[in-house]
Amino acid sequence: TDSRCNGHITQSGSFERPVRIPAAIKGAKLAGPVSLITQVEDSYLVLAENVVIPKAHKASYIKRLKTKIASIQPDATGVPLTDDSDGEGGEDTMGSRGSYTAAIIGVAASIKAADMVVGGQCVNVFCAVRPPGHHAGQELRSMKAISNGFCLFNAA
């Protein structure tokens, strides 16, 4: 995980909220011994943003999301970030000014995790990041789903 994931601030009462990370870490610890990585190096962020994400998502989607998040007032939270199935502002995925960086970190954490497994540092990994990234398709939703499940970039 990485504390910068907490820059993604959703609406009060949202299912996707900061308490998910400590809950996930607690669950992982109950499963057995765990080594916790608490920061993702900036080199992985650069790789995620400049190489990996453009391969997984259309440039128009990345630009639209980055522009939308950059336009959010610094103190605003719970702002709709994506379009819902009618093409209007979506109630599905909310966030804040820190959501873009948090989503980049989620992808970067996944890359680092894969490097750790391939490099023999561990045999399995679990990335506790926010926003989650397993539902995000090339332009938003994967497989024409009606929701993107709170996800911005695919980190799976």
Side-chain angles (χ1 to χ4, degrees), residues 8-147:
H8 174 64
I9 304 170
T10 56
Q11 198 170 37
S12 177
S14 173
F15 290 112
E16 206 300 295
R17 58 188 184 267
V19 71
R20 291 179 70 165
I21 289 180
I25 292 170
K26 181 180 178 183
K29 287 179 178 179
L30 290 173
V34 64
S35 296
L36 183 63
I37 304 300
T38 58
Q39 185 170 3
V40 178
E41 294 84 357
D42 288 342
S43 60
Y44 284 105
L45 275 70
V46 171
L47 180 62
E49 185 170 21
N50 296 331
V51 178
V52 175
I53 291 170
K55 289 181 179 180
H57 299 281
K58 292 190 174 186
S60 58
Y61 170 67
I62 297 167
K63 182 180 178 182
R64 189 170 74 239
L65 186 61
K66 189 173 190 176
T67 301
K68 171 76 173 178
I69 292 172
S71 73
I72 297 173
Q73 294 298 314
D75 59 342
T77 60
V79 176
L81 299 181
T82 58
D83 296 336
D84 65 17
S85 58
D86 296 325
E88 300 297 323
E91 299 298 318
D92 183 69
T93 303
M94 304 286 196
S96 63
R97 183 64 96 50
S99 294
Y100 186 82
T101 299
I104 298 289
I105 289 168
V107 176
S110 295
I111 298 166
K112 178 176 180 169
D115 277 355
M116 292 173 70
V117 171
V118 171
Q121 294 173 268
C122 53
V123 295
N124 55 33
V125 293
F126 173 76
C127 297
V129 296
R130 303 183 52 249
H134 56 289
H135 290 119
Q138 283 188 314
E139 291 190 85
L140 177 59
R141 296 174 194 84
S142 57
M143 299 175 285
K144 301 187 188 279
I146 59 168
S147 168

